[in-house]
Amino acid sequence: MADSDGSKYKGDFRIFENVDELATGLVDYIAAISEMSVKERGFFSIALSGGSLISFMGKLCEAPYNKTVDWGKWHIFWVDERVVAKNHVDSNYKLAKEVLLSKVPILPSHVYSINDNVSAEEAASEYEFVLRQLVKTRTVNVSESNDCPKFDLILLGMGPDGHVASLFPWHALLDLKDDWVTYITDSPKPPPERITFTLPVINSASNVAVVVSGATKAVAVKLVIDGYCEESTEVAAALPARKVQPTDGQLVWFLDNEAASKLDSVASQPPPA
Ligand SMILES: O=C1O[C@H](COP(=O)(O)O)[C@@H](O)[C@H](O)[C@H]1O
Protein backbone atom coordinates (compact mmCIF):
# COMPACT_ATOMS: atom_id res chain seq x y z
CA MET A 1 0.00 0.00 0.00
CA ALA A 2 1.15 3.55 -0.67
CA ASP A 3 2.28 5.91 2.12
CA SER A 4 0.65 9.33 2.48
CA ASP A 5 3.47 10.76 0.32
CA GLY A 6 2.53 8.27 -2.45
CA SER A 7 5.60 6.04 -2.02
CA LYS A 8 5.10 2.28 -1.97
CA TYR A 9 6.87 -0.17 0.32
CA LYS A 10 9.36 -1.99 -1.89
CA GLY A 11 10.95 -5.41 -1.39
CA ASP A 12 10.93 -9.08 -2.37
CA PHE A 13 8.85 -11.38 -0.23
CA ARG A 14 9.59 -15.07 0.25
CA ILE A 15 6.93 -16.97 2.13
CA PHE A 16 7.53 -20.50 3.40
CA GLU A 17 5.26 -23.27 4.63
CA ASN A 18 7.06 -23.56 7.97
CA VAL A 19 10.20 -22.44 9.81
CA ASP A 20 12.24 -25.41 8.61
CA GLU A 21 11.69 -24.43 4.97
CA LEU A 22 12.31 -20.79 5.87
CA ALA A 23 15.67 -21.74 7.41
CA THR A 24 16.65 -23.66 4.24
CA GLY A 25 15.68 -20.70 2.04
CA LEU A 26 17.59 -18.29 4.27
CA VAL A 27 20.85 -20.24 4.37
CA ASP A 28 20.72 -20.77 0.58
CA TYR A 29 20.39 -17.00 0.19
CA ILE A 30 23.23 -16.25 2.66
CA ALA A 31 25.53 -18.77 0.95
CA ALA A 32 24.78 -17.24 -2.49
CA ILE A 33 25.54 -13.68 -1.32
CA SER A 34 28.70 -14.88 0.44
CA GLU A 35 29.92 -16.53 -2.79
CA MET A 36 29.13 -13.45 -4.88
CA SER A 37 30.81 -11.04 -2.43
CA VAL A 38 33.98 -13.13 -2.12
CA LYS A 39 34.15 -13.36 -5.94
CA GLU A 40 33.67 -9.59 -6.38
CA ARG A 41 35.54 -8.16 -3.37
CA GLY A 42 37.55 -10.94 -1.74
CA PHE A 43 35.60 -10.53 1.54
CA PHE A 44 32.12 -11.15 2.88
CA SER A 45 30.94 -8.63 5.48
CA ILE A 46 27.81 -9.77 7.28
CA ALA A 47 26.03 -8.08 10.20
CA LEU A 48 23.85 -10.24 12.42
CA SER A 49 20.94 -9.37 14.68
CA GLY A 50 19.97 -11.44 17.69
CA GLY A 51 16.80 -13.33 18.43
CA SER A 52 15.04 -16.07 16.54
CA LEU A 53 16.75 -15.56 13.18
CA ILE A 54 20.05 -16.88 14.55
CA SER A 55 18.54 -20.29 15.23
CA PHE A 56 17.75 -20.58 11.50
CA MET A 57 21.41 -20.00 10.66
CA GLY A 58 22.33 -23.28 12.33
CA LYS A 59 21.73 -24.99 8.98
CA LEU A 60 24.91 -23.32 7.70
CA CYS A 61 26.87 -25.81 9.84
CA GLU A 62 25.41 -28.69 7.85
CA ALA A 63 26.32 -30.10 4.42
CA PRO A 64 26.81 -28.73 1.84
CA TYR A 65 27.43 -25.28 3.36
CA ASN A 66 29.96 -26.37 6.00
CA LYS A 67 32.25 -27.37 3.10
CA THR A 68 31.24 -25.01 0.28
CA VAL A 69 31.14 -21.67 2.13
CA ASP A 70 34.47 -19.78 2.13
CA TRP A 71 34.46 -19.23 5.91
CA GLY A 72 37.97 -17.68 5.94
CA LYS A 73 36.60 -14.66 4.01
CA TRP A 74 33.74 -13.96 6.41
CA HIS A 75 33.85 -10.83 8.59
CA ILE A 76 31.07 -10.87 11.18
CA PHE A 77 29.50 -7.85 12.88
CA TRP A 78 26.44 -7.20 15.02
CA VAL A 79 23.65 -4.91 13.86
CA ASP A 80 22.78 -4.58 17.51
CA GLU A 81 24.08 -5.96 20.75
CA ARG A 82 22.97 -5.93 24.34
CA VAL A 83 25.58 -4.39 26.67
CA VAL A 84 26.02 -7.47 28.85
CA ALA A 85 28.90 -9.90 29.38
CA LYS A 86 29.61 -12.20 26.43
CA ASN A 87 28.56 -15.23 28.45
CA HIS A 88 25.26 -13.62 29.53
CA VAL A 89 22.05 -15.27 28.38
CA ASP A 90 20.98 -11.97 26.70
CA SER A 91 24.16 -11.60 24.64
CA ASN A 92 23.59 -11.72 20.88
CA TYR A 93 27.26 -12.74 20.52
CA LYS A 94 26.76 -15.74 22.83
CA LEU A 95 23.77 -16.92 20.77
CA ALA A 96 25.65 -16.64 17.47
CA LYS A 97 28.69 -18.35 18.98
CA GLU A 98 26.66 -21.30 20.22
CA VAL A 99 24.66 -21.75 17.02
CA LEU A 100 27.28 -20.96 14.36
CA LEU A 101 30.63 -19.37 15.20
CA SER A 102 31.92 -22.25 17.31
CA LYS A 103 31.00 -24.79 14.62
CA VAL A 104 32.54 -23.41 11.43
CA PRO A 105 36.13 -22.29 10.65
CA ILE A 106 35.56 -18.53 10.93
CA LEU A 107 38.75 -16.69 11.99
CA PRO A 108 38.41 -15.30 15.54
CA SER A 109 40.06 -12.06 14.34
CA HIS A 110 37.20 -11.62 11.85
CA VAL A 111 34.54 -11.66 14.57
CA TYR A 112 33.84 -8.07 15.67
CA SER A 113 32.05 -8.35 19.01
CA ILE A 114 31.52 -5.32 21.25
CA ASN A 115 33.64 -4.34 24.26
CA ASP A 116 31.46 -5.52 27.14
CA ASN A 117 33.64 -3.90 29.84
CA VAL A 118 32.59 -0.31 29.17
CA SER A 119 29.39 1.74 29.15
CA ALA A 120 26.89 1.50 26.28
CA GLU A 121 28.02 4.93 25.05
CA GLU A 122 31.70 3.91 24.99
CA ALA A 123 30.93 0.53 23.45
CA ALA A 124 29.04 2.22 20.59
CA SER A 125 31.80 4.74 19.97
CA GLU A 126 34.51 2.02 19.99
CA TYR A 127 32.46 -0.11 17.62
CA GLU A 128 32.05 2.78 15.20
CA PHE A 129 35.82 3.45 15.40
CA VAL A 130 36.61 -0.18 14.47
CA LEU A 131 34.10 0.01 11.64
CA ARG A 132 35.72 3.18 10.29
CA GLN A 133 39.13 1.42 10.13
CA LEU A 134 37.60 -1.52 8.25
CA VAL A 135 35.86 0.80 5.79
CA LYS A 136 39.21 2.52 5.13
CA THR A 137 40.77 -0.83 4.16
CA ARG A 138 37.56 -1.77 2.27
CA THR A 139 37.18 -4.97 4.30
CA VAL A 140 33.75 -3.42 4.60
CA ASN A 141 32.71 -1.69 1.39
CA VAL A 142 31.66 1.97 1.35
CA SER A 143 28.49 3.56 0.00
CA GLU A 144 29.25 6.04 -2.77
CA SER A 145 26.22 8.14 -1.96
CA ASN A 146 26.82 8.84 1.76
CA ASP A 147 30.21 7.33 2.82
CA CYS A 148 28.42 4.91 5.16
CA PRO A 149 29.65 1.33 5.44
CA LYS A 150 28.04 -0.81 2.75
CA PHE A 151 27.73 -4.28 4.28
CA ASP A 152 27.41 -7.15 1.84
CA LEU A 153 24.52 -8.44 3.95
CA ILE A 154 22.60 -7.18 6.96
CA LEU A 155 20.27 -9.68 8.66
CA LEU A 156 17.40 -8.23 10.68
CA GLY A 157 14.74 -9.80 12.86
CA MET A 158 11.61 -7.86 13.80
CA GLY A 159 9.81 -7.69 17.16
CA PRO A 160 5.98 -7.76 17.46
CA ASP A 161 6.20 -3.95 17.97
CA GLY A 162 7.92 -3.55 14.59
CA HIS A 163 11.38 -2.84 16.03
CA VAL A 164 14.48 -3.84 14.10
CA ALA A 165 18.02 -3.92 15.50
CA SER A 166 17.60 -1.87 18.73
CA LEU A 167 15.59 0.83 16.97
CA PHE A 168 12.18 1.05 18.64
CA PRO A 169 8.96 2.81 17.53
CA TRP A 170 8.89 6.57 18.12
CA HIS A 171 12.43 6.57 19.62
CA ALA A 172 14.71 9.54 18.86
CA LEU A 173 17.44 7.17 17.58
CA LEU A 174 15.34 6.71 14.44
CA ASP A 175 16.18 10.27 13.41
CA LEU A 176 19.99 9.98 13.57
CA LYS A 177 21.60 10.85 10.27
CA ASP A 178 25.35 11.12 10.88
CA ASP A 179 26.14 8.40 13.42
CA TRP A 180 26.89 4.86 12.27
CA VAL A 181 26.62 3.16 15.64
CA THR A 182 24.66 4.53 18.56
CA TYR A 183 23.46 3.41 21.99
CA ILE A 184 20.29 3.19 24.01
CA THR A 185 19.93 2.99 27.80
CA ASP A 186 16.11 2.87 27.95
CA SER A 187 15.28 0.01 25.59
CA PRO A 188 11.58 -0.87 25.99
CA LYS A 189 12.59 -4.52 25.57
CA PRO A 190 15.07 -5.75 28.21
CA PRO A 191 17.94 -5.51 28.68
CA PRO A 192 17.80 -1.67 28.63
CA GLU A 193 21.41 -0.98 27.53
CA ARG A 194 22.27 -1.77 23.94
CA ILE A 195 24.24 -0.54 20.97
CA THR A 196 22.76 -0.47 17.48
CA PHE A 197 23.48 0.43 13.88
CA THR A 198 21.52 3.47 12.75
CA LEU A 199 19.06 3.53 9.84
CA PRO A 200 21.54 5.20 7.43
CA VAL A 201 23.92 2.24 7.90
CA ILE A 202 21.17 -0.37 7.55
CA ASN A 203 19.81 1.32 4.43
CA SER A 204 23.28 1.56 2.85
CA ALA A 205 23.83 -2.21 2.74
CA SER A 206 24.04 -4.10 -0.55
CA ASN A 207 21.55 -6.63 0.76
CA VAL A 208 19.16 -6.53 3.70
CA ALA A 209 17.08 -9.53 4.78
CA VAL A 210 14.28 -9.23 7.33
CA VAL A 211 13.51 -12.64 8.81
CA VAL A 212 10.21 -13.04 10.67
CA SER A 213 8.27 -16.06 11.86
CA GLY A 214 5.25 -16.79 14.02
CA ALA A 215 1.67 -15.59 14.38
CA THR A 216 2.54 -13.04 17.10
CA LYS A 217 4.24 -10.91 14.46
CA ALA A 218 1.52 -11.13 11.77
CA VAL A 219 -0.05 -7.74 12.64
CA ALA A 220 3.33 -5.95 12.56
CA VAL A 221 4.22 -7.67 9.27
CA LYS A 222 0.97 -6.44 7.73
CA LEU A 223 1.41 -2.90 9.07
CA VAL A 224 4.93 -2.71 7.66
CA ILE A 225 4.30 -4.30 4.26
CA ASP A 226 0.68 -3.35 3.50
CA GLY A 227 0.84 -0.05 5.38
CA TYR A 228 -2.31 -0.70 7.46
CA CYS A 229 -3.97 -3.36 9.60
CA GLU A 230 -7.63 -3.22 10.66
CA GLU A 231 -6.74 -5.02 13.90
CA SER A 232 -4.30 -2.34 15.03
CA THR A 233 -4.36 1.32 15.95
CA GLU A 234 -0.58 1.68 15.44
CA VAL A 235 0.68 4.19 12.87
CA ALA A 236 2.36 2.04 10.21
CA ALA A 237 4.85 4.77 9.25
CA ALA A 238 6.17 4.83 12.85
CA LEU A 239 7.29 1.21 12.75
CA PRO A 240 11.09 1.03 12.43
CA ALA A 241 10.85 -1.97 10.08
CA ARG A 242 8.89 0.19 7.61
CA LYS A 243 11.83 2.60 7.51
CA VAL A 244 14.10 -0.16 6.21
CA GLN A 245 14.36 0.67 2.50
CA PRO A 246 17.91 0.21 1.13
CA THR A 247 19.01 3.15 -1.03
CA ASP A 248 20.91 1.14 -3.64
CA GLY A 249 20.60 -2.39 -2.24
CA GLN A 250 18.14 -5.27 -2.33
CA LEU A 251 15.59 -5.94 0.41
CA VAL A 252 14.19 -9.43 0.92
CA TRP A 253 11.67 -10.55 3.55
CA PHE A 254 11.74 -14.17 4.69
CA LEU A 255 8.40 -15.07 6.28
CA ASP A 256 6.72 -18.24 7.41
CA ASN A 257 3.02 -18.75 6.67
CA GLU A 258 2.00 -17.66 10.16
CA ALA A 259 3.85 -14.35 10.01
CA ALA A 260 2.48 -13.71 6.49
CA SER A 261 -1.07 -14.81 7.34
CA LYS A 262 -2.62 -11.31 7.41
CA LEU A 263 -0.99 -9.91 4.27
CA ASP A 264 -3.23 -9.12 1.35
CA SER A 265 -0.64 -7.88 -1.10
CA VAL A 266 1.82 -10.76 -1.23
CA ALA A 267 0.13 -13.76 0.41
CA SER A 268 -0.93 -15.23 -2.89
CA GLN A 269 2.60 -15.35 -4.29
CA PRO A 270 3.92 -18.90 -4.83
CA PRO A 271 6.98 -19.93 -2.78
CA PRO A 272 10.31 -19.42 -4.55
CA ALA A 273 11.43 -22.28 -6.87
O1 LIG B 1 15.89 -7.50 20.99
C1 LIG B 1 15.99 -7.91 19.86
O2 LIG B 1 14.88 -8.31 19.17
C2 LIG B 1 14.85 -8.46 17.76
C3 LIG B 1 13.76 -9.47 17.41
O3 LIG B 1 14.01 -10.69 18.10
P1 LIG B 1 13.07 -11.97 17.93
O4 LIG B 1 13.58 -12.97 18.95
O5 LIG B 1 11.67 -11.53 18.22
O6 LIG B 1 13.22 -12.47 16.54
C4 LIG B 1 16.23 -8.84 17.22
O7 LIG B 1 16.22 -8.83 15.82
C5 LIG B 1 17.26 -7.88 17.78
O8 LIG B 1 18.53 -8.11 17.23
C6 LIG B 1 17.32 -8.09 19.24
O9 LIG B 1 18.35 -7.40 19.90
Side-chain angles (χ1 to χ4, degrees):
M1 192 191 202
D3 267 339
S4 47
D5 64 358
S7 61
K8 194 176 179 302
Y9 187 83
K10 291 187 286 293
D12 283 340
F13 305 96
R14 302 185 187 177
I15 300 169
F16 299 86
E17 207 58 47
N18 52 51
V19 287
D20 193 56
E21 289 184 18
L22 187 162
T24 303
L26 177 67
V27 295
D28 267 348
Y29 163 87
I30 296 171
I33 295 177
S34 160
E35 190 181 336
M36 193 175 65
S37 306
V38 171
K39 211 175 273 169
E40 283 174 8
R41 301 195 317 104
F43 302 106
F44 177 50
S45 60
I46 176 170
L48 310 177
S49 294
S52 50
L53 96 84
I54 298 299
S55 59
F56 303 139
M57 294 181 74
K59 275 192 194 268
L60 281 168
C61 311
E62 298 169 10
Y65 313 105
N66 54 350
K67 297 276 182 301
T68 55
V69 167
D70 198 347
W71 298 107
K73 302 289 178 2
W74 277 43
H75 288 257
I76 304 199
F77 301 80
W78 275 267
V79 180
D80 75 319
E81 179 58 289
R82 291 91 180 265
V83 184
V84 293
K86 287 191 178 59
N87 59 1
H88 192 283
V89 65
D90 286 332
S91 162
N92 286 344
Y93 166 83
K94 175 180 156 74
L95 182 62
K97 179 151 192 201
E98 285 170 357
V99 174
L100 180 69
L101 308 183
S102 60
K103 298 183 179 163
V104 291
I106 289 172
L107 298 172
S109 60
H110 290 183
V111 176
Y112 304 92
S113 56
I114 69 160
N115 181 352
D116 56 355
N117 291 311
V118 295
S119 68
E121 182 174 10
E122 286 167 306
S125 128
E126 281 186 21
Y127 209 70
E128 180 165 322
F129 179 81
V130 170
L131 203 43
R132 286 191 184 272
Q133 307 314 305
L134 293 163
V135 167
K136 272 189 198 145
T137 58
R138 295 295 184 268
T139 306
V140 177
N141 211 353
V142 65
S143 157
E144 279 164 20
S145 49
N146 59 7
D147 289 338
C148 269
K150 188 177 173 85
F151 283 92
D152 297 314
L153 176 58
I154 286 186
L155 292 174
L156 299 172
M158 183 187 74
D161 58 354
H163 85 267
V164 289
S166 287
L167 300 169
F168 292 87
W170 302 107
H171 201 282
L173 295 187
L174 292 167
D175 299 324
L176 293 178
K177 299 276 181 286
D178 299 324
D179 305 66
W180 290 0
V181 184
T182 189
Y183 68 100
I184 177 169
T185 54
D186 59 353
S187 164
K189 176 179 173 182
E193 304 212 343
R194 294 149 171 254
I195 73 158
T196 183
F197 285 180
T198 58
L199 280 172
V201 171
I202 293 172
N203 283 331
S204 296
S206 296
N207 297 280
V208 180
V210 188
V211 183
V212 187
S213 60
T216 57
K217 297 180 179 172
V219 167
V221 166
K222 181 165 175 65
L223 277 165
V224 172
I225 295 174
D226 286 340
Y228 73 98
C229 180
E230 300 86 347
E231 296 165 44
S232 172
T233 52
E234 296 296 329
V235 179
L239 268 57
R242 197 164 159 88
K243 298 175 192 290
V244 174
Q245 287 281 273
T247 320
D248 299 314
Q250 305 299 315
L251 173 65
V252 184
W253 281 69
F254 288 82
L255 300 165
D256 72 346
N257 264 343
E258 288 187 346
S261 59
K262 297 190 189 296
L263 289 175
D264 47 32
S265 48
V266 296
S268 56
Q269 285 184 6

